[in-house]
Amino acid sequence: MLRHVVLLEMKDGTPDSAVAGIVTELESLIGRLPAEVRLVDYTCGRDAGLVPSGNAHVAIVADFEDEDGYRAYQSNAEHQAIIKNFIIPHLRKRMASQFIIKA
Amino acid sequence: MLRHVVLLEMKDGTPDSAVAGIVTELESLIGRLPAEVRLVDYTCGRDAGLVPSGNAHVAIVADFEDEDGYRAYQSNAEHQAIIKNFIIPHLRKRMASQFIIKA
């Protein structure tokens, strides 16, 4: 199984509603993804505010059956539209990684 | 449940063995953590190399029963020693976030 991890740090002054909107859009997308994405689990959320400063604002952890599923997710047109319209306009820094986990 | 996500980007020239060592040390720590950490799940791994460039080198996703468990993990002396001795010397950038997920 492949675990895809993304952390998003938004620009200073990004409205609270814009951060919340990213999570809403991504969670809503999940139910519409085609079978080829082979999604096993998807969690996405806003930072809980436990650390005084320096944390990312949004985290995503998505588990796919295999690499092909991950690639289908990344290239999905609706996913790309969310990135373009909801994330990029407010994005300061993105970090990501994919790693193998036991099924 | 609280999901703790960390991405580590290492300095240019960090030896392969040093990156592998971070994963080995963290995975080995898990079995020795005290009950107060209330760990539910822990995955840690090296980037799978699916993206040509820009990815973090190491990803960690740790699930705790609650915020107190997460705080016990963060302040754990052995965990702190791994951060100091194995991660910090090679670290270029760290991003992290904690968010609530359904149990």
Side-chain angles (χ1 to χ4, degrees), chain A residues 16-100:
Chain A
D16 213 55
S17 59
V19 182
I22 291 169
V23 173
T24 304
E25 288 295 322
L26 288 172
E27 286 182 338
S28 150
L29 169 67
I30 297 318
R32 301 192 306 273
L33 287 171
E36 60 172 357
V37 167
R38 293 196 275 280
L39 192 68
V40 177
D41 189 46
Y42 191 94
T43 61
C44 170
R46 299 184 62 174
D47 186 68
L50 306 184
V51 174
S53 70
N55 260 6
H57 298 91
V58 175
I60 301 145
V61 178
D63 297 334
F64 302 91
E65 279 182 29
D66 54 28
E67 179 183 332
D68 287 347
Y70 158 72
R71 294 197 188 278
Y73 169 71
Q74 284 299 59
S75 61
N76 177 269
E78 281 200 75
H79 182 204
Q80 286 297 321
I82 293 171
I83 293 171
K84 182 182 171 192
N85 299 323
F86 290 87
I87 297 176
I88 296 290
H90 303 290
L91 188 64
R92 180 156 63 195
K93 168 90 178 162
R94 173 189 184 272
M95 277 179 81
S97 184
Q98 301 80 42
F99 63 109
I100 306 292

Side-chain angles (χ1 to χ4, degrees), chain B residues 2-92:
Chain B
L2 189 73
R3 176 159 275 189
H4 171 54
V5 178
V6 182
L7 290 172
L8 305 174
E9 188 180 304
M10 315 321 290
K11 292 177 190 163
D12 288 343
T14 297
D16 213 56
S17 59
V19 182
I22 292 169
V23 174
T24 304
E25 289 295 322
L26 289 172
E27 286 183 337
S28 150
L29 169 67
I30 296 318
R32 301 192 305 272
L33 287 171
E36 61 173 357
V37 167
R38 294 196 274 280
L39 192 70
V40 177
D41 190 45
Y42 191 95
T43 60
C44 170
R46 299 184 63 173
D47 185 68
L50 306 183
V51 174
S53 70
N55 259 6
H57 298 92
V58 175
I60 300 146
V61 178
D63 297 336
F64 302 92
E65 280 182 28
D66 54 27
E67 179 183 331
D68 287 347
Y70 158 71
R71 293 197 188 279
Y73 169 71
Q74 283 300 59
S75 61
N76 176 268
E78 281 198 76
H79 182 204
Q80 286 298 323
I82 292 170
I83 293 170
K84 182 182 171 194
N85 299 323
F86 290 87
I87 297 176
I88 297 289
H90 303 290
L91 187 64
R92 179 157 62 195

Side-chain angles (χ1 to χ4, degrees), chain B residues 86-102:
Chain B
F86 290 87
I87 297 176
I88 297 289
H90 303 290
L91 187 64
R92 179 157 62 195
K93 170 90 177 161
R94 173 189 183 273
M95 279 180 80
S97 184
Q98 300 80 43
F99 64 109
I100 306 291
I101 61 170
K102 286 176 192 154

